Amino acid sequence: MLPLTLQPRDGAELLADRLALSAAATGGVQLSTADFGDWLAERGRVNAFRVDRIPFAGLDGWSFEETTGNLVHRSGRFFTVEGLHVTERDGPYGDGPYAEWHQPIIKQPEVGILGILAKEFDGVLHFLMQAKMEPGNPNLLQLSPTVQATRSNYTKAHQGADVKYIEHFVGPGRGRIIADVLQSEHGSWFFRKSNRNMIVEAAGDVPLLDDFCWLTLGQIAELLHRDNVVNMDSRTVLSCLPVDRRATGAVHSDADLLSWITGERARHDVHAERVPLAGLPGWRRGDMAIEHEADRYFKVVAVAVHAGNREVTSWTQPLFEPVGLGVTAFLTRTFDGIPHVLVHARVEGGFLDTIELGPTVQYTPGNYAHLPEKERPLFLDTVLEAPAERVGYEAVHSEEGGRFLNAESRYLIVDADDRDVPLTPPPGYSWVTPDQLTWLVRHGHYLNVQARTLLACLNATRTGGR
């Protein structure tokens, strides 16, 4: 029997120092931040990209099932577009206000890999990022993780090329694990979908392939201040970095915070049932789109795609297209010198466990413009009317471009005071520190994908990446 060498349980302090050094480095071994825009534009010029809207009848391999009307692929793989019926009642005994709605939903049971490869150059950690085309991105090409692949991709269900660098994230000898956690996808558009968010430090040499670049955390932080550059998959993985804990105090202890989350999950009685897409109440299907009868929320559309540098170079697929620009924001306050953000225990029909912590505000204002003031979402107007001097962060980021078309939101971090939101906020809201969010995100299904984006942006502002 070989001798056993025990490993340290937690090298967090040393790793945090290395991450802080990378966050302070604004120049990379390969590429300066000033030259990044030219590099990304050049990657767009050398690859041919095109996305065209098509009628549903133009989809190749996709069709509406006769029995259910669900939109499915002939292989039985990838994903399906189905109907969802959600009923939700608040209160400790399910005796509170009642809500009910129907909507299309994406059912994609396979777990994908979102992985960023790290490597040290000249004593500084760098991260391998990819210039990746996604058909739903408004500018097509954005900065993605090293690996951004569904199981169908990396098992080659589509008979495409190998996923580059996948060997660093699956199988033996994959290097040192920095983060590895299952996180949810958009609960409003996916039914119980998770992806594996991974950061792995490479062992040995890593060849640099076309469309990839090494960047420091400081460089990525600066790019997070630019509109539509760092894609959603990169942002969610970056939020999982075990950055240094800076604060020892909080309005609520960690135990009290977990108890509050558990209480929120217990008080919401949510039933989400998959139903046929055909005849979905409140929705109509035409030749070019499935859309809400009030022209709100989102549409299901179809596109034809050509991308010269993808594993498969041309294909057709459905996409979800939101109606209007979203607004996603954290309100922040400082208590006894410690920064806090206001989180919202959000119910979304596709969540695995009733609620996840979302931003203070996560809405598309146009969906609520018809409502009287007293029925508008809490804190939405506070964010929309915030003066410029109280906005600590603002950028437009798009959501996952592989499934959503032109899905953009203004992401903001806005300073608040007691007039905006008191120390004791309304039910369903709680003050937490960024350190507590970093602690929670190491475990799956606590922060929704929008909150994880804001956490990555918050860390970018804290490291001075501007």
Side-chain angles (χ1 to χ4, degrees), residues 147-158:
V147 167
Q148 178 182 317
T150 65
R151 184 180 296 274
S152 293
N153 289 145
Y154 67 81
T155 60
K156 298 202 287 186
H158 46 39

Side-chain angles (χ1 to χ4, degrees), residues 347-366:
V347 172
E348 296 180 9
F351 281 157
L352 184 65
D353 197 0
T354 311
I355 68 103
E356 292 188 14
L357 301 187
T360 319
V361 166
Q362 181 189 316
Y363 303 105
T364 299

Side-chain angles (χ1 to χ4, degrees), residues 417-455:
D417 57 28
D418 194 62
R419 292 169 298 178
D420 300 314
V421 53
L423 174 60
T424 302
Y429 294 82
S430 182
W431 291 110
V432 303
T433 69
D435 287 343
Q436 287 177 312
L437 293 182
T438 297
W439 167 63
L440 286 173
V441 84
R442 295 174 65 183
H443 311 277
H445 303 285
Y446 276 104
L447 272 64
N448 77 354
V449 68
Q450 290 89 348
R452 297 196 303 274
T453 278
L454 278 173
L455 178 58

Side-chain angles (χ1 to χ4, degrees), residues 326-331 383-384 386 391-395 410-414 454:
V327 174
T328 305
F330 272 147
L331 290 179
V383 169
L384 293 177
V391 177
Y393 174 89
E394 181 175 7
R410 289 176 60 212
Y411 278 87
L412 302 107
I413 299 172
V414 178
L454 278 173

